[in-house]
Amino acid sequence: MMRSSAVKLLWALLLVMALIAGACGNDDGGTAEPPATAAPTAEATPEATAAPTAAPTEGPTPAPTEAPEPTPEATAAPTEAPTPEATPAPEPTAAPTPEATPAPEPETHPSGLDVAAINAAAADWMEKARIPGLVLAVTQGGEEPWTFAWGVSDLTTEEPITAGDYIRIGSVTKPVTTVAVLSMVDEGLLDLDTPVTAYLGDDWYGKYEHGPQITLRHLMGHTTGFVEYAFDPGFFVLGSARLGVPIAPEEIVRFTTNYGPVAEFETEYNYSTAGHVIAGMIIEAVTGNPADVEIRSRVLEPLGLENTYLPPNELPPVPVIDSYNGGLLYSAFTSLTRVPDSARHNFMGTDYLSTDEYPQEFLQTAGWTGGGIETLIGDVPTMFRGLFTGGVISDESLTEMTTAGVNPGYGLGVGIDDIGGRLAYSHGGGTPAFRTRALYIPELDLALAATTNVLPPDPDLQEFVDALLPIVMESWGLN
């Protein structure tokens, strides 16, 4: 028994290491590999087919010049039917070499994006990372996002992945929760620097030594000193034993506060999903409404997002697609759980474990307001851009959100980056077994999001985003 427990803890530790690398957060190997170079699926809105180019004009071939009627003088020499002064024979009608008809450019896309280059970047990364499926959405200036998909959503059925498939975006949920909180700050319902005890009472933090001083600013800026439960071996051992049982926010807080501080309070950044889970509890305590109801009315509806949901109270019309745990996650799950035979896959020589073969109740609730959103990829860049441009919060609150704290690369629930000298806001998400990156560059009014149905991808999804950005910027003349 001791040996079994030790093995479980070891694999749980390896699981943590793998997740840290990837998140913020058929069985005989005969599965056909999907062509990663496939152009965006037909469901991708709009179609990624080449915009129709005019068929090469045959340049009205000049009618043959009629021989002029013979003049009286010319009739004397019947055999010479004088070719009017050697009217130069219309040089083998050099059918006006379609000089005006340049060859149609390959893969012309109605958006102006270089689809061939995007396909190549996707194919390159998917091959290196051995990825079954990948979806992408890009928008500029608030236009309807252009969506793309490559690969499959299910390794058993080989069903193509599409932009109409529901996915989990993990910690990209955090900036959404942050904006909901800040909208309440704008209304005077909350204050960033008031102790949480004013909203949740004196017993919310258990014996956590810094509990009385913790504020919303600490929670959303990751300076509480909390452990990241989503990476903790004990939490995964706990979860593996109850995958069919939801976990309540209060249980997550109890696990976190009982752990004790793992970083210096207030002066040290230590990423912790528990902070945004507690923020969700505060939303509920102050409004008297479920967090999903408040997030929908304060953020999702104003931004026109009809395909985005926060479980467990609200769910998409169909479940999220299958996703696959690889590498150390595969080994950890096979050690910590009873694995159904149908869950094992080998794709491109890599062993994967299907998340879909497990109960979903624990997985759907372990992130909640810190990492639980399920959505369509087309909603993600619209949502992410809208957090900064949609007028959902005041300019003052937006400044609070986007001002770096202890970590110069992080504000309140959002990453702050420099991309080629331009300010950018971003966030990643990792949840068994999806990996997401979302990005917004204000100067270009450019937003994009990408999700793969593997965790952890190696190399990380960020490598694809890094390759994609120059292509998009070049295509749209944003350089």
Side-chain angles (χ1 to χ4, degrees):
M1 289 293 293
M2 290 180 62
R3 176 181 176 82
S4 174
S5 297
V7 169
K8 284 192 172 186
L9 285 173
L10 173 60
W11 281 120
L13 181 58
L14 293 174
L15 176 61
V16 171
M17 296 167 62
L19 280 174
I20 289 175
C24 302
N26 301 330
D27 299 340
D28 62 359
T31 304
E33 175 188 343
T37 52
T41 58
E43 290 82 350
T45 55
E47 292 183 9
T49 50
T53 48
T57 52
E58 297 187 357
T61 17
T65 357
E66 293 185 17
E69 292 196 18
T71 54
E73 295 82 351
T75 52
T79 54
E80 296 268 353
T83 54
E85 299 173 358
T87 308
E91 298 187 8
T93 314
T97 56
E99 49 172 285
T101 335
E105 295 191 11
E107 301 267 15
T108 302
H109 190 275
S111 69
L113 289 169
D114 186 343
V115 171
I118 292 175
N119 283 342
D124 180 61
W125 179 73
M126 291 177 74
E127 181 177 4
K128 284 194 292 185
R130 300 166 299 284
I131 297 297
L134 172 66
V135 286
L136 166 70
V138 187
T139 181
Q140 204 256 337
E143 297 293 327
E144 188 72 18
W146 297 90
T147 60
F148 304 86
W150 302 267
V152 299
S153 62
D154 188 308
L155 286 173
T156 299
T157 65
E158 298 180 17
E159 182 73 21
I161 193 170
T162 77
D165 289 325
Y166 281 91
I167 54 173
R168 291 181 180 140
I169 60 173
S171 289
V172 179
T173 303
K174 286 182 173 68
V176 178
T177 298
T178 298
V179 167
V181 166
L182 289 172
S183 73
M184 293 175 65
V185 170
D186 287 338
E187 294 173 11
L189 297 175
L190 296 175
D191 181 84
L192 290 176
D193 299 307
T194 294
V196 172
T197 53
Y199 310 117
L200 298 182
D202 294 328
D203 57 353
W204 76 267
Y205 56 86
K207 297 181 180 179
Y208 193 75
E209 61 186 89
H210 304 299
Q213 290 81 46
I214 292 175
T215 67
L216 276 162
R217 189 182 300 279
H218 296 130
L219 293 173
M220 300 190 299
H222 304 295
T223 57
T224 57
F226 286 158
V227 66
E228 171 54 305
Y229 73 87
F231 300 158
D232 185 75
F235 190 76
F236 280 98
V237 171
L238 168 68
S240 67
R242 53 174 287 183
L243 288 173
V245 180
I247 184 166
E250 293 79 8
E251 292 181 86
I252 293 171
V253 175
R254 190 179 313 124
F255 179 94
T256 302
T257 55
N258 285 347
Y259 207 101
V262 296
E264 291 295 322
F265 173 67
E266 202 167 45
T267 61
E268 184 179 356
Y269 174 92
N270 191 69
Y271 188 89
S272 176
T273 296
H276 278 78
V277 170
I278 297 168
M281 294 170 62
I282 293 172
I283 291 173
E284 293 194 333
V286 172
T287 65
N289 295 320
D292 58 280
V293 171
E294 289 295 323
I295 286 174
R296 179 160 300 283
S297 65
R298 292 175 177 276
V299 182
L300 305 184
E301 285 181 353
L303 298 181
L305 302 171
E306 299 178 353
N307 303 300
T308 299
Y309 303 85
L310 180 63
N313 288 354
E314 56 176 23
L315 298 171
V318 294
V320 297
I321 58 170
D322 205 352
S323 59
Y324 300 92
N325 301 280
L328 290 175
L329 275 174
Y330 175 93
S331 301
F333 269 97
T334 54
S335 296
L336 290 168
T337 67
R338 187 182 300 277
V339 182
D341 289 341
S342 56
R344 299 176 188 267
H345 296 271
N346 185 280
F347 178 73
M348 297 178 72
T350 298
D351 287 328
Y352 285 119
L353 200 63
S354 163
T355 308
D356 208 35
E357 296 294 332
Y358 286 90
Q360 299 296 300
E361 287 81 0
F362 188 88
L363 295 176
Q364 278 190 319
T365 52
W368 196 46
T369 50
I373 283 180
E374 298 181 1
T375 186
L376 300 180
I377 191 63
D379 266 19
V380 185
T382 299
M383 176 180 71
F384 203 72
R385 174 185 180 272
L387 300 179
F388 306 98
T389 66
V392 180
I393 55 176
S394 67
D395 290 345
E396 182 181 3
S397 286
L398 184 58
T399 298
E400 291 278 15
M401 180 180 178
T402 57
T403 298
V406 171
N407 179 349
Y410 203 89
L412 297 179
V414 68
I416 303 169
D417 303 312
D418 181 300
I419 298 179
R422 292 185 174 97
L423 173 68
Y425 301 121
S426 69
H427 216 290
T431 182
F434 294 92
R435 177 69 169 129
T436 298
R437 292 295 302 176
L439 173 73
Y440 176 61
I441 304 176
E443 181 183 336
L444 306 177
D445 202 8
L446 174 67
L448 63 85
T451 296
T452 181
N453 58 349
V454 161
L455 190 74
D458 182 21
D460 187 54
L461 182 59
Q462 185 63 46
E463 180 171 305
F464 171 61
V465 173
D466 290 342
L468 177 71
L469 261 178
I471 299 170
V472 172
M473 292 170 66
E474 177 78 19
S475 297
W476 282 345
L478 301 177
N479 286 327

